[in-house]
Amino acid sequence: MQILRTVNELRHWSRALRSTPGNTIGLVPTMGALHAGHASLIRAARATCTHVAVSLFVNPTQFGPNEDYARYPRSFDADCALAEREGADVLFAPDVDELYPNGPESTFVEVPGLANRLDGASRPGHFRGVATVVAKLLIAAEPHRAIFGQKDAAQVAVLRRMVADLRLAAEIVVCPIVRDPDGLAVSSRNAYLSSSGRAQALTLSRTVGCIESLVAHGERRAGALAAAARQTFAAEPEVRIDYIVLVDWSTLLPVETAVPGTLFAVAAYVGSTRLIDNTILS
Ligand code: AMP
């Protein structure tokens, strides 16, 4: 596996491959601290593309001023080992100046509307940062496919819209949420949780399971489903709900009635750790 540090190196790698018919490039954007969720994306890229690049960049512009940018877990050597084991050909790990040569407050990509919903409402500027960095990566790597996790379902909606609006060529591929055996969605931020916090964090996946089961039994009213979801949190007063929503997955706007494809999403704080989970209703 090659480790590339500059946009030009990534661009040259991609262009050389694209000049040979039949080659396909998959890009897996990450912030590192790689875990089983990231591994599943790399495997999905490996299964559908001839060449795979994993990017590893803790993107400062998607963190708010009081968020965890400085203490976000960083584990470069372990990340290299995981990416190589899962079959990445390239690990792209630029520094901040390489992706933001004129500083973080320069040219950006804004996705109107969607970027201010769900996590974008709770974390102003977050999706602007995400859209900007993913646009930079897609322009540099020119992948045939870019692979993301359903874990960040609102992010997927924002990026799908951005790719459509900017007429970028990459196909957005979405992989299922990888969970620990007890149901907790795997996340780099789970490392922040104490053992009691980890037990409280299970409220999110329990809520997701409860909503799936209510829908399976015929409940379709979004208000009733949201109320039931809030009820599951009542047993864990130390877990603070950020949002509980049922929305259309492409617009992130609230629905009154759940239909196949409706996104049920939840975000909550366990102590100071913000966690998210979701399901696409069937
Ligand atoms: P991050 O490093 O947290 O920015 O995540 C990089 C990518 O991995 C995003 O597309 C996430 O949605 C995806 N991802 C994170 N956690 C999971 C998970 N538990 N299952 C599947 N994909 C995930």
Side-chain angles (χ1 to χ4, degrees):
M1 184 181 76
Q2 279 178 274
I3 295 173
L4 306 182
R5 298 283 185 183
T6 70
V7 167
N8 271 340
E9 287 171 325
L10 181 63
R11 183 168 281 139
H12 287 138
W13 174 77
S14 165
R15 293 218 169 139
L17 288 172
R18 290 184 75 101
S19 65
T20 304
N23 280 344
T24 50
I25 298 170
L27 173 69
V28 181
T30 81
M31 295 206 299
L34 300 184
H35 51 58
H38 299 115
S40 75
L41 308 189
I42 301 171
R43 279 198 298 278
R46 184 78 273 163
T48 53
C49 300
T50 60
H51 294 80
V52 175
V54 174
S55 66
L56 195 164
F57 181 65
V58 184
N59 175 33
T61 65
Q62 70 188 71
F63 289 80
N66 299 317
E67 292 185 351
D68 55 343
Y69 175 66
R71 69 180 187 117
Y72 194 82
R74 289 161 169 88
S75 52
F76 185 74
D77 292 341
D79 290 350
C80 286
L82 184 147
E84 182 155 38
R85 194 167 65 237
E86 298 299 345
D89 300 292
V90 152
L91 186 81
F92 176 55
D95 65 21
V96 173
D97 291 344
E98 180 64 20
L99 280 193
Y100 294 98
N102 295 305
E105 290 307 320
S106 46
T107 306
F108 60 84
V109 176
E110 182 83 83
V111 180
L114 275 85
N116 300 319
R117 295 172 194 149
L118 280 68
D119 310 277
S122 316
R123 305 178 66 190
H126 171 66
F127 282 135
R128 177 171 126 176
V130 170
T132 301
V133 79
V134 172
K136 287 171 190 261
L137 293 170
L138 295 180
I139 291 166
E142 289 184 80
H144 296 79
R145 300 193 179 89
I147 295 92
F148 297 91
Q150 184 199 310
K151 163 94 183 336
D152 295 84
Q155 167 174 286
V156 166
V158 170
L159 295 177
R160 278 181 172 148
R161 178 69 64 83
M162 177 191 80
V163 163
D165 284 350
L166 297 181
R167 308 302 303 259
L168 298 174
E171 177 195 353
I172 301 279
V173 175
V174 183
C175 294
I177 300 175
V178 173
R179 298 179 179 281
D180 281 336
D182 59 7
L184 184 67
V186 179
S187 164
S188 308
R189 289 191 170 97
N190 292 350
Y192 298 151
L193 297 170
S194 63
S195 62
S196 62
R198 202 184 177 291
Q200 292 166 357
L202 290 174
T203 316
L204 282 88
S205 51
R206 260 202 306 274
T207 304
V208 166
C210 159
I211 295 307
E212 285 172 339
S213 144
L214 285 171
V215 170
H217 286 91
E219 183 59 84
R220 295 285 182 276
R221 296 166 302 157
L225 291 166
R230 284 181 183 279
Q231 198 53 44
T232 63
F233 277 84
E236 288 287 357
E238 292 183 43
V239 182
R240 186 163 59 84
I241 298 169
D242 178 10
Y243 64 68
I244 285 178
V245 292
L246 287 107
V247 294
D248 179 293
W249 194 12
S250 59
T251 63
L252 301 182
L253 287 170
V255 297
E256 281 189 8
T257 305
V259 295
T262 294
L263 168 64
F264 168 78
V266 53
Y269 288 91
V270 177
S272 59
T273 303
R274 186 174 178 280
L275 300 174
I276 56 175
D277 204 341
N278 70 77
T279 182
I280 308 297
L281 298 174
S282 53

